[in-house]
Amino acid sequence: MPPSLKVTLAAEILASYATARWMMARHEVRDVVLAMRSRPGQVGSEAQDSELTAARLGYAVARTLRKLPTDSRCLVQALVLSRLLSERGIPSTLVIGARSQPEFAAHAWVEHDGRPVLSPAGFDESRLVEL
């Protein structure tokens, strides 16, 4: 990917991150997911090679947000990726899983066509909600 496109994608990721963080402080998770997906197909339809595009975007989101000095854990990453996929006309499912043993833990990830785009981190058998 040319450097100019990397910069453009990083800016898109950071703008989506800011939107997600702002919305999370003010709304329920379901409402945030719906709002983050409210602009389908804006960037351009890349659905022809949607699996590859989804995987590349997942990698870019995780890599970009990992470098931020603020909270960029799994739920924020999943919201950002959901927005990017939606803008490209690529359907996705945001999944939240939790387990109580040995201690409570929860995780969010994104799937496209039933395959994880962000890692389920061992929570794939502990699905609570799919949005």
Side-chain angles (χ1 to χ4, degrees):
M1 178 182 288
S4 61
L5 289 179
K6 286 183 180 182
V7 169
T8 301
L9 180 58
E12 183 182 0
I13 290 168
L14 293 174
S16 295
Y17 170 80
T19 300
R21 293 291 307 218
W22 184 86
M23 293 186 75
M24 286 175 58
R26 291 159 180 79
H27 303 284
E28 297 290 325
V29 173
R30 287 183 193 275
D31 296 331
V32 176
V33 172
L34 290 173
M36 293 297 284
R37 291 183 179 153
S38 67
R39 299 172 14 195
Q42 298 297 313
V43 174
S45 178
E46 299 177 26
Q48 296 162 328
D49 197 5
S50 61
E51 286 186 37
L52 180 59
T53 300
R56 286 180 174 167
L57 287 172
Y59 177 78
V61 166
R63 185 174 169 137
T64 301
L65 295 183
R66 184 173 41 231
K67 295 177 183 181
L68 295 180
T70 60
D71 181 14
S72 58
R73 288 178 281 185
C74 58
L75 181 56
V76 176
Q77 288 183 23
L79 289 167
V80 170
L81 180 56
S82 291
R83 178 176 214 139
L84 270 59
L85 292 171
S86 177
E87 289 179 342
R88 287 159 176 78
I90 300 172
S92 66
T93 303
L94 190 146
V95 183
I96 298 174
R99 59 178 171 237
S100 59
Q101 298 294 327
E103 60 185 47
F104 180 81
H107 183 63
W109 68 96
V110 174
E111 293 181 351
H112 169 65
D113 283 342
R115 293 187 185 99
V117 180
L118 289 176
S119 171
F123 284 82
D124 42 349
E125 299 296 323
S126 307
R127 300 164 93 87
L128 283 179
V129 168
E130 295 182 9
L131 305 167

